Amino acid sequence: MSASFERLIEGIIDALQTHVVPNSGDDFIRGQVFSAIYALNGLKLAADWKPGPLLDQVCLQDDAFAGVRQQAIGMDHPPIPATPRIARENADAAQIEALRDDGDRLLGQLLLWASGEGARTADPDAANEIERLLRRAICDQLKIELATTPKSMLQQIAGGDGDAARG
């Protein structure tokens, strides 16, 4: 998404929040304006055609896979993919999304393994460290996901101020 497109959407949202919402005494109209703000925030986030957030998630997964590989030496574990799984240049968003989704599945399998009986019996300290590493990676991925997801419309309306309605 270009910076000018983002500024345009932000300008429209700001104008609605600054001039329309405060000057509207009709609850129905205010609700419609908040709906428009919500839709614009969603458009602003969805219009980011760059695969940056997906690449960031894949890189976090790759770091987690490398960490598990290092901690699980000599342990019988589920398959761990070779890393890095994709080059940052010339990356297609659909391909990156598929890699991210597959990485989520593999991380889940590794987490089930690390928290299970087999890994805990083989090396309890390594299993605990792997489980901690995987949980941290999953949390970091969720932070990226939440940063690119618009706030709920109810959260924006309930806030009542300009900051709460911004995405």
Side-chain angles (χ1 to χ4, degrees):
M1 172 172 52
S2 69
S4 60
F5 179 77
E6 186 173 2
R7 281 195 305 269
L8 174 69
I9 298 295
E10 287 173 355
I12 294 168
I13 291 170
D14 185 55
L16 290 171
Q17 291 171 334
T18 305
H19 303 291
V20 178
V21 172
N23 295 316
S24 175
D26 186 326
D27 288 340
F28 177 77
I29 299 295
R30 290 173 61 86
Q32 294 301 306
V33 172
F34 277 115
S35 294
I37 291 170
Y38 176 74
L40 287 166
N41 277 321
L43 175 64
K44 183 174 73 171
L45 292 171
D48 190 359
W49 299 292
K50 295 177 186 172
L54 289 171
L55 276 172
D56 291 344
Q57 289 179 320
V58 169
C59 288
L60 280 171
Q61 290 175 344
D62 285 353
D63 291 345
F65 292 138
V68 170
R69 186 178 299 109
Q70 183 180 6
Q71 292 289 327
I73 295 174
M75 297 173 79
D76 185 25
H77 53 76
I80 301 172
T83 56
R85 292 177 293 156
I86 193 165
R88 285 187 89 75
E89 58 280 342
N90 300 326
D92 174 52
Q95 178 188 15
I96 299 168
E97 185 174 20
L99 272 177
R100 192 261 331 256
D101 293 347
D102 187 53
D104 284 344
R105 183 184 56 76
L106 294 170
L107 288 175
Q109 289 175 349
L110 287 166
L111 183 57
L112 284 172
W113 165 77
S115 60
E117 187 72 25
R120 301 236 172 255
T121 302
D123 188 341
D125 291 336
N128 284 335
E129 182 59 27
I130 291 168
E131 184 177 353
R132 186 198 63 73
L133 181 141
L134 290 170
R135 289 184 188 280
R136 172 61 30 216
I138 291 168
C139 284
D140 289 345
Q141 248 189 281
L142 286 171
K143 288 177 186 174
I144 293 170
E145 190 73 28
L146 289 172
T148 58
T149 303
K151 294 177 182 175
S152 77
M153 187 167 47
L154 292 176
Q155 181 183 3
Q156 293 178 25
I157 292 169
D161 62 2
D163 292 335
R166 292 188 177 120

